[in-house]
């Protein structure tokens, strides 16, 4: 490639030669101040119309002359700048085009090198994940970050020692986290088995980042609630069994000696035996009375009385 280090393009630059504009502002300001002082509002009120016209013409002509000269000077200064900017805008276009082409090519090469570095980082992470027995894609969101040149040896697709150590620390921390999570899952499953609870709701809570301590606490509360419900059911069943046993005992005690069996729930005679020469016993006719009851203990007392009627197989009707 041609060496252009010291050629014309490397050294050319615009040259500006400043001009000098001479004007005695101090004397100008003093003269204006003196003239203005002679024309106060009170003095203006005392001037004749023609005198006012003369003064106006004199000062206005002075300002017009100075503004005309200023514009002439400004034009002399401005024209070269306008011409320079116009020519520069036209001449720089080919230079901009080659710069754009070079930039695109540079970016293309930079991106290629970056992708090589990304691929190398990916390979390093995947190998270390495989060795640790964890998912190889665990750190894929970190590939781009570690593809920066500062993490690589100079002009090599090879990570610095400190970068590798940093990656090792990340992989080890993830391995420890996974192992701890597995241990927590096992602890929850064992506790669930011991408490006779389903493990899935609690392992799901752990996967949703709920603290293990809170999960174990909730499991104990659920276990205690389940035990209490079981005890209530057993107590209810025991009470029901005792009630049925009491009914059966009462039925046996009040039944005729010839009655062999009584339904424990209804009191109905299941089987009878009688001597062959004994006159058959007529069935008892239902006895019905109409009564009016007043429960001074309120509705609770009525419910207690109704239960007593039901326990003794007495039918009732509320009118």
């Amino acid at each position: 490639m041609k060496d252009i280090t010291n050629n014309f393009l490397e050294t050319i630059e615009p040259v500006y030669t400043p001009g000098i504009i001479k004007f005695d502002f101090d004397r100008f300001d003093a003269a204006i101040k003196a003239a203005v002082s002679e024309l106060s509002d009170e003095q203006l009120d005392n001037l004749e119309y023609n005198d006012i016209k003369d003064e106006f013409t004199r000062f206005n002509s002075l300002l017009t002359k100075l503004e005309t000269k200023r514009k002439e000077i400004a034009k002399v200064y401005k024209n070269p700048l306008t011409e320079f900017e116009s020519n520069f805008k036209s001449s720089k276009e080919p230079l901009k085009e080659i710069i754009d082409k070079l930039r695109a090519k540079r970016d293309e090469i930079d991106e290629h090198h970056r992708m090589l570095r990304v691929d190398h980082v990916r390979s390093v992470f995947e190998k270390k994940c495989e060795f640790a027995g964890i998912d190889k894609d665990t750190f894929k969101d970190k590939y781009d970050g570690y593809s920066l040149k500062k993490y690589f040896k100079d002009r090599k697709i090879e990570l610095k020692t400190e970068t590798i150590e940093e990656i090792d620390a990340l992989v080890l921390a993830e391995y420890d986290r996974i192992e701890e999570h597995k241990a927590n899952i096992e602890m929850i499953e064992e506790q669930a088995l011991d408490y006779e609870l389903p493990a899935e709701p609690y392992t799901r809570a752990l996967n949703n980042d709920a603290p293990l301590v809170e999960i174990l606490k909730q499991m104990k509360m659920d276990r205690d609630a389940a035990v209490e419900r079981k005890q209530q059911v057993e107590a209810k069943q025991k009470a029901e069994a005792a009630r049925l046993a009491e009914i059966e005992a009462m039925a046996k005690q009040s039944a005729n000696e010839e009655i062999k069996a009584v339904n424990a729930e209804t009191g109905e005679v299941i089987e009878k035996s009688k001597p062959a020469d004994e006159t058959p016993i007529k069935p008892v006719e239902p006895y019905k009375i109409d009564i009016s009851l007043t429960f001074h203990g309120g509705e609770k007392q009525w419910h207690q009385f109704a239960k007593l009627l039901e326990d003794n197989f007495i039918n009732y009707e509320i009118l």
Side-chain angles (χ1 to χ4, degrees):
M1 182 176 179
K2 185 178 179 180
D3 184 9
I4 60 171
T5 305
N6 295 315
N7 68 9
F8 175 73
L9 290 177
E10 295 292 319
T11 58
I12 187 172
E13 63 179 22
V15 178
Y16 167 64
T17 304
I20 299 175
I21 302 174
K22 293 183 178 181
F23 188 78
D24 193 340
F25 280 100
D26 291 338
R27 293 186 63 189
F28 177 71
D29 293 343
I32 292 296
K33 184 176 181 181
V36 170
S37 67
E38 294 177 359
L39 294 173
S40 63
D41 292 343
E42 183 179 351
Q43 290 169 327
L44 287 175
D45 290 339
N46 293 329
L47 288 178
E48 296 292 336
Y49 175 73
N50 289 335
D51 293 334
I52 292 175
K53 286 182 62 177
D54 291 341
E55 291 298 320
F56 169 78
T57 301
R58 182 164 70 93
F59 284 111
N60 189 59
S61 298
L62 172 62
L63 182 58
T64 300
K65 183 182 70 172
L66 291 173
E67 281 290 340
T68 300
K69 191 65 177 177
R70 181 193 64 77
K71 291 177 181 178
E72 291 176 356
I73 295 172
K75 187 175 181 180
V76 171
Y77 272 80
K78 184 177 180 181
N79 284 350
L81 177 61
T82 302
E83 182 180 1
F84 169 76
E85 289 182 341
S86 177
N87 293 337
F88 182 71
K89 182 178 180 181
S90 175
S91 297
K92 73 179 181 179
E93 287 306 316
L95 183 60
K96 287 180 62 180
E97 289 180 5
I98 190 63
I99 288 173
D100 290 341
K101 289 181 181 179
L102 290 170
R103 178 184 294 110
K105 196 63 180 177
R106 179 205 64 186
D107 292 347
E108 179 183 341
I109 295 172
D110 284 347
E111 178 62 13
H112 175 68
H113 289 164
R114 189 188 73 82
M115 291 306 298
L116 290 176
R117 293 194 299 272
V118 169
D119 190 61
H120 181 72
V121 171
R122 178 193 57 76
S123 175
V124 171
F125 266 111
E126 287 184 352
K127 288 178 181 178
K128 292 184 179 297
C129 288
E130 183 180 1
F131 180 78
I134 62 180
D135 187 348
K136 66 183 183 66
D137 293 328
T138 301
F139 299 97
K140 63 181 180 181
D141 60 331
K142 296 187 178 295
Y143 297 166
D144 283 339
Y146 278 103
S147 69
L148 299 178
K149 291 181 180 179
K150 66 179 182 178
Y151 294 110
F152 283 76
K153 294 180 180 180
D154 189 32
R155 298 183 180 181
K156 292 183 179 180
I157 304 298
E158 184 180 347
L159 291 171
K160 294 179 179 178
T161 302
E162 54 267 32
T163 306
I164 294 177
E165 291 175 351
E166 189 172 329
I167 291 175
D168 285 339
L170 287 173
V171 174
L172 180 60
E174 179 64 12
Y175 172 81
D176 290 342
R177 187 195 69 79
I178 292 175
E179 290 301 307
E180 181 181 1
H181 185 76
K182 289 180 180 178
N184 291 341
I185 291 289
E186 291 179 2
M187 182 183 301
I188 289 174
E189 291 175 343
E190 291 176 0
Q191 195 76 301
L193 183 63
D194 185 48
Y195 285 171
E196 297 182 350
L197 294 172
E200 195 273 336
Y202 307 104
T203 56
R204 184 171 63 247
L206 184 69
N207 291 333
N208 291 332
D209 298 328
L212 178 63
V213 173
E214 295 300 322
I215 293 174
L216 295 177
K217 185 185 297 184
Q218 184 63 47
M219 292 180 73
K220 184 178 185 304
M221 292 172 60
D222 293 345
R223 188 277 310 268
D224 292 345
V227 169
E228 184 177 356
R229 287 194 299 270
K230 184 178 180 181
Q231 290 174 346
Q232 290 175 350
V233 170
E234 290 177 349
K236 186 175 180 180
Q237 292 175 343
K238 185 176 181 181
E240 181 66 11
R243 186 181 72 85
L244 294 177
E246 183 180 357
I247 291 173
E248 185 176 2
M250 291 173 60
K252 287 181 178 180
Q253 183 178 358
S254 61
N256 191 289
E257 293 180 355
E258 288 78 16
I259 297 176
K260 298 298 183 179
V262 177
N263 186 299
E265 292 191 7
T266 64
E268 180 184 359
V269 175
I270 297 175
E271 180 183 354
K272 297 182 182 179
S273 64
K274 60 180 187 302
D277 58 348
E278 186 180 72
T279 303
I281 300 174
K282 294 182 179 180
V284 178
E285 293 293 332
Y287 182 70
K288 181 178 180 180
I289 60 173
D290 296 328
I291 61 175
S292 174
L293 301 174
T294 300
F295 296 95
H296 296 285
E299 185 178 0
K300 182 177 180 181
Q301 187 180 18
W302 151 244
H303 288 304
Q304 294 173 343
F305 182 75
K307 187 176 185 305
L308 178 65
L309 294 176
E310 292 172 356
D311 290 346
N312 289 277
F313 316 109
I314 300 174
N315 295 332
Y316 63 87
E317 180 182 5
I318 299 175
L319 300 178

